[in-house]
Amino acid sequence: MTSTPTAQLSELGVSIWLDDLSRDRISSGALAALIESRNVVGVTTNPTIFAAALATGTTYDEQVSELARAEASVTDAVFAITTSDVAAASDIFAGVYESTNGRDGRVSIEVEPGLAHDAVGTIAEARALWSTVDRPNAMIKIPATREGLEAITETIGAGISVNVTLIFSLERYREVIEAYLAGLEKAHAAGIDLSTIHSVASFFVSRVDTEIDKRLVDLGTPEALALKSKAGVANARLAYELFESSFATDRAATLLSAGGNAQRPLWASTGVKDPSLPDTLYVTELAVANTVNTMPEKTLEATFDHGVIAGDQITAHYDDARAVLSSLAELGISYDEVTALLEKEGVEKFVVSWNELLDTVAAALEAAR
């Protein structure tokens, strides 16, 4: 019996997480079905996803009415609604969580994006989300801003599993790994069982191509155009090289031997933005063991239908990846400028989505009243 491409990915060591969540998906059984039919072993969420879920359907009406009667504020209502969904989804993935010893079966929920540059506020919100969801297989998403690094260390140090999001540059990724290891050291010193703490580092892929490709098209030379849609994959491949070397150090080995877990790279933003590209590009070209690929449903279905999984597509390509980034630099495209811009825009986009979520819930509360 021929295995499906998603089964082949799983066998290779890629954990497939769905980048979407809604109450309708939970209550209809559609989310549970993906575990069986598409090898999905986790879920990621963000304000954009929740805003879209709340804007359609009637599955939130009952809870919104209850919150309206309780005269809940908009922010309290958003907190209640989103944590309810994440807790329910976590229950659906409890079996996966148990069977993988906590490696998968994870459901991520993001701290309020407006706290991205507020370490103290992020730590407090991470604790509140963790205690409210109250599921061991939840993960708290913290953005990889400079201020977020402190929050990552403190949150991991408190024994809370973290999905570090919005990573674009290799240098920032290096700092994220450092923050994670420092957090494990704090947790170990506090007597916390390190085996209960898991983390992923979400490296965004397609957004890198979108920004760099605009600059390549503006240059318009044959040399520039030949580099189109190569930067995102090259950047991610070098991130995996950094992952391998960082968790092979004596410091990491000490923590791993004490029960700690390596912080796996997670490929995010894996939906292809350029319609001229293969729709499974950021799945098949980044296939390698010990990674997570969080996919929009469209990308998941494309992978299941016609993805070609040809084994490890990363570790033999480090030199090629370095050559891509070097060629971009020779053309005058600044890697540092692009990745700093993408981090700034990433936070801003999530803030916009958060405000849309607040507006949607505010309108629903008003209608219920």
Side-chain angles (χ1 to χ4, degrees):
M1 182 175 178
T2 304
S3 66
T4 65
T6 56
Q8 291 166 16
L9 266 182
S10 299
E11 290 160 9
L12 181 61
V14 179
S15 294
I16 300 171
W17 292 4
L18 178 71
D19 193 26
D20 190 37
L21 185 64
S22 68
R23 191 156 299 179
D24 181 65
R25 192 185 284 279
I26 292 167
S27 60
S28 68
L31 183 59
L34 291 176
I35 298 173
E36 300 301 324
S37 67
R38 299 293 186 267
N39 305 93
V40 170
V41 292
V43 169
T44 49
T45 67
N46 59 47
T48 305
I49 287 168
F50 278 123
L54 276 151
T56 58
T58 60
T59 52
Y60 293 94
D61 289 357
E62 182 179 347
Q63 187 178 15
V64 168
S65 294
E66 291 174 0
L67 290 164
R69 286 194 296 272
E71 298 184 350
S73 69
V74 175
T75 53
D76 286 347
V78 167
F79 188 92
I81 290 166
T82 56
T83 53
S84 294
D85 276 3
V86 170
S90 296
D91 289 343
I92 290 170
F93 281 94
V96 175
Y97 171 77
E98 294 293 337
S99 66
T100 61
N101 294 315
R103 180 179 175 87
D104 286 309
R106 295 285 174 172
V107 184
S108 297
I109 184 169
E110 189 151 357
V111 297
E112 180 185 336
L115 297 171
H117 300 293
D118 177 356
V120 173
T122 294
I123 294 164
E125 172 114 342
R127 288 176 179 269
L129 289 167
W130 181 257
S131 62
T132 302
V133 173
D134 195 24
R135 302 293 191 278
N137 53 328
M139 264 189 170
I140 309 303
K141 289 179 76 174
I142 296 176
T145 58
R146 192 160 297 284
E147 296 83 0
L149 297 172
E150 177 187 344
I152 292 160
T153 295
E154 293 301 318
T155 304
I156 291 290
I160 297 171
S161 294
V162 173
N163 176 341
V164 183
T165 188
L166 287 178
I167 307 174
F168 295 97
S169 76
L170 295 168
E171 181 54 38
R172 182 52 53 84
Y173 181 38
R174 187 175 287 108
E175 294 171 339
V176 165
I177 295 172
E178 162 66 29
Y180 173 63
L181 294 175
L184 286 183
E185 287 165 344
K186 287 178 74 76
H188 190 48
I192 296 171
D193 180 358
L194 297 189
S195 70
T196 66
I197 305 170
H198 285 258
S199 183
V200 293
S202 297
F203 218 86
F204 280 52
V205 186
S206 68
R207 292 190 195 182
V208 174
D209 274 341
T210 299
E211 183 59 35
I212 287 181
D213 284 0
K214 286 191 298 187
R215 300 172 187 224
L216 292 170
V217 170
D218 286 344
L219 289 172
T221 64
E223 295 81 6
L225 297 177
L227 289 169
K228 272 194 68 186
S229 307
K230 293 183 177 179
V233 168
N235 198 36
R237 283 172 171 166
L238 293 177
Y240 191 81
E241 182 184 39
L242 182 55
F243 158 72
E244 285 190 308
S245 62
S246 296
F247 285 94
T249 63
D250 290 342
R251 180 189 185 190
T254 298
L255 290 165
L256 297 182
S257 66
N261 299 289
Q263 182 190 53
R264 288 181 295 167
L266 178 152
W267 311 133
S269 183
T270 56
V272 172
K273 307 296 192 294
D274 183 344
S276 69
L277 297 174
D279 54 4
T280 63
L281 176 72
Y282 301 123
V283 177
T284 58
E285 292 303 300
L286 294 176
V288 68
N290 296 315
T291 57
V292 179
N293 195 307
T294 183
M295 309 177 196
E297 187 169 25
K298 184 178 179 181
T299 304
L300 173 64
E301 290 302 324
T303 300
F304 178 82
D305 180 67
H306 54 262
V308 178
I309 312 305
D312 175 358
Q313 295 299 300
I314 289 188
T315 59
H317 299 286
Y318 295 146
D319 288 342
D320 292 340
R322 272 187 283 275
V324 168
L325 297 191
S326 295
S327 296
L328 291 170
E330 289 169 6
L331 290 173
I333 295 175
S334 170
Y335 175 85
D336 291 341
E337 178 195 342
V338 167
T339 54
L341 174 65
L342 289 171
E343 180 184 299
K344 176 175 177 290
E345 288 182 345
V347 172
E348 289 171 350
K349 287 175 181 177
F350 277 164
V351 169
V352 169
S353 295
W354 181 259
N355 290 333
E356 290 174 355
L357 177 57
L358 292 176
D359 290 344
T360 299
V361 172
L365 288 171
E366 185 61 30
R369 291 185 180 118

